[in-house]
Amino acid sequence: MTIEYHHECCFSSEQSDLQNQVRRKYKYLGRVQGVGFRATVNELAQSFAIHGWVKNCEDGSVECVVEGALPDIRAFDQVVRDSRADYVHDVQTMKEPWSGDLSGFKIKF
């Protein structure tokens, strides 16, 4: 007697989409406060399929948290770096667990 086992994909397209979602926290260092950095980041974010926020930190840096598909997040980060290269001296990137609790993109105060 021969037993055959067939494994088929068990994810719906919605489940598959959720598996591709990631969360990143960026800390932009340099002359990033008082130069329109948050407004620029907020405006740039509108062109990407991402959710998140950007805010000033007490230490003079700017923090940005985004969720979305990794290619979108990477492209967004690169556009931010390229558009504000004269102001950003370093960027710290941290991976965080995707939460799905973000909607739209906003400036936090």
Side-chain angles (χ1 to χ4, degrees):
M1 178 173 170
T2 303
I3 299 174
E4 293 184 24
Y5 179 76
H6 297 282
H7 180 72
E8 295 182 17
C9 181
C10 57
F11 299 108
S12 70
S13 64
E14 183 176 317
Q15 288 172 319
S16 180
D17 288 345
L18 292 178
Q19 284 189 332
N20 293 323
Q21 300 297 303
V22 298
R23 182 179 181 119
R24 295 291 182 268
K25 180 189 287 186
Y26 296 100
K27 187 168 188 169
Y28 297 96
L29 306 166
R31 199 173 117 216
V32 292
Q33 290 191 17
V35 294
F37 189 84
R38 289 175 302 152
T40 299
V41 170
N42 185 51
E43 184 179 320
L44 292 170
Q46 307 309 314
S47 300
F48 294 89
I50 60 172
H51 301 282
W53 50 263
V54 61
K55 73 173 185 174
N56 283 343
C57 298
E58 290 183 15
D59 65 2
S61 66
V62 170
E63 186 175 271
C64 180
V65 172
V66 292
E67 287 188 340
L70 187 55
D72 290 329
I73 289 176
R74 285 182 176 159
F76 164 73
D77 177 51
Q78 191 60 56
V79 168
V80 170
R81 291 177 195 230
D82 292 346
S83 70
R84 306 306 280 178
D86 292 343
Y87 300 101
V88 177
H89 300 133
D90 191 26
V91 180
Q92 297 172 351
T93 305
M94 292 140 286
K95 294 180 181 179
E96 295 187 337
W98 179 78
S99 67
D101 63 351
L102 300 174
S103 178
F105 198 94
K106 65 183 178 180
I107 297 174
K108 278 188 161 183
F109 295 94

